[in-house]
Amino acid sequence: MNEAGDDHVKELKLNKQQFQELVDTFGMYIEGMESFLNIETGDVVMLRTFDQDQDEEDEELSEMVEEGYNEIYFSIPQLESFEGFEDMVDFAATVEDEQLKSTLMYILNGGKGVFRRFKDALSSDRKQLERYYRFVEERNGVRVSDWLESIDVKLILE
């Protein structure tokens, strides 16, 4: 980025818990909900997207988000399914147990319920399942950092 462009970059200070909440939100999809990041406070807010489901608090929040949209409140992107699939492929390549690796690769070749079947296969090895969740979380942390950079927000972890 050139020096002239640096003046519009905002700094966002987050503690580990706030960053974790942001990463968790990024990796989550809830139908009928949209998540926003307040880049001034680091707060993640969730809004019901169906007007008929909104209560008074939701309506106030909705107005606040609308007024500060893309200035204070930014819509947190959701993990794309192809990114989740890439994570599974990349993780499977790191599995040392050849039988488990072979099973995972077979699952990744298609069919219905790839995500569920992948996790089911991993659940036979608790260590590998936990390693997979850490792997995905780390990847999502990088994706969140990249997203913040794309909206000219410099992340500072406290």
Side-chain angles (χ1 to χ4, degrees):
M1 189 180 297
N2 63 26
E3 288 177 32
D6 286 345
D7 59 337
H8 70 279
V9 173
K10 293 183 173 86
E11 287 188 352
L12 172 62
K13 291 182 180 166
L14 296 179
N15 61 37
K16 283 183 176 153
Q17 187 178 347
Q18 287 173 307
F19 184 69
Q20 186 62 51
E21 182 183 8
L22 182 55
V23 170
D24 290 347
T25 302
F26 182 85
M28 181 175 27
Y29 171 75
I30 302 172
E31 191 171 341
M33 296 293 280
E34 191 171 356
S35 304
F36 298 88
L37 173 66
N38 178 323
I39 63 166
E40 290 181 350
T41 65
D43 292 336
V44 171
V45 296
M46 296 182 119
L47 272 180
R48 290 182 183 93
T49 53
F50 303 118
D51 288 338
Q52 66 270 23
D53 292 340
Q54 289 189 342
D55 57 24
E56 201 172 306
E57 194 178 316
D58 285 329
E59 287 176 22
E60 286 175 27
L61 192 55
S62 183
E63 284 177 27
M64 284 173 45
V65 167
E66 213 171 285
E67 287 172 18
Y69 190 71
N70 283 346
E71 287 176 26
I72 297 169
Y73 289 96
F74 288 82
S75 181
I76 299 171
Q78 294 175 341
L79 186 67
E80 298 286 340
S81 61
F82 77 87
E83 292 170 307
F85 187 80
E86 283 175 0
D87 288 349
M88 291 189 304
V89 170
D90 293 346
F91 177 81
T94 71
V95 173
E96 291 176 7
D97 177 328
E98 288 303 321
Q99 187 175 355
L100 179 57
K101 183 184 220 169
S102 174
T103 300
L104 294 174
M105 291 302 194
Y106 176 78
I107 289 168
L108 291 170
N109 281 323
K112 283 190 179 236
V114 171
F115 286 87
R116 182 186 46 76
R117 289 185 303 128
F118 187 87
K119 287 180 187 166
D120 286 350
L122 273 180
S123 67
S124 67
D125 185 333
R126 186 180 174 90
K127 251 183 163 169
Q128 289 299 322
L129 183 62
E130 288 173 7
R131 197 171 73 79
Y132 170 71
Y133 285 130
R134 282 193 309 272
F135 181 88
V136 170
E137 194 169 288
E138 201 173 288
R139 286 270 183 101
N140 285 342
V142 170
R143 289 178 181 117
V144 165
S145 297
D146 290 348
W147 168 66
L148 288 171
E149 196 176 294
S150 78
I151 60 170
D152 294 322
V153 173
K154 181 180 178 185
L155 176 63
I156 299 170
L157 287 175
E158 297 181 321

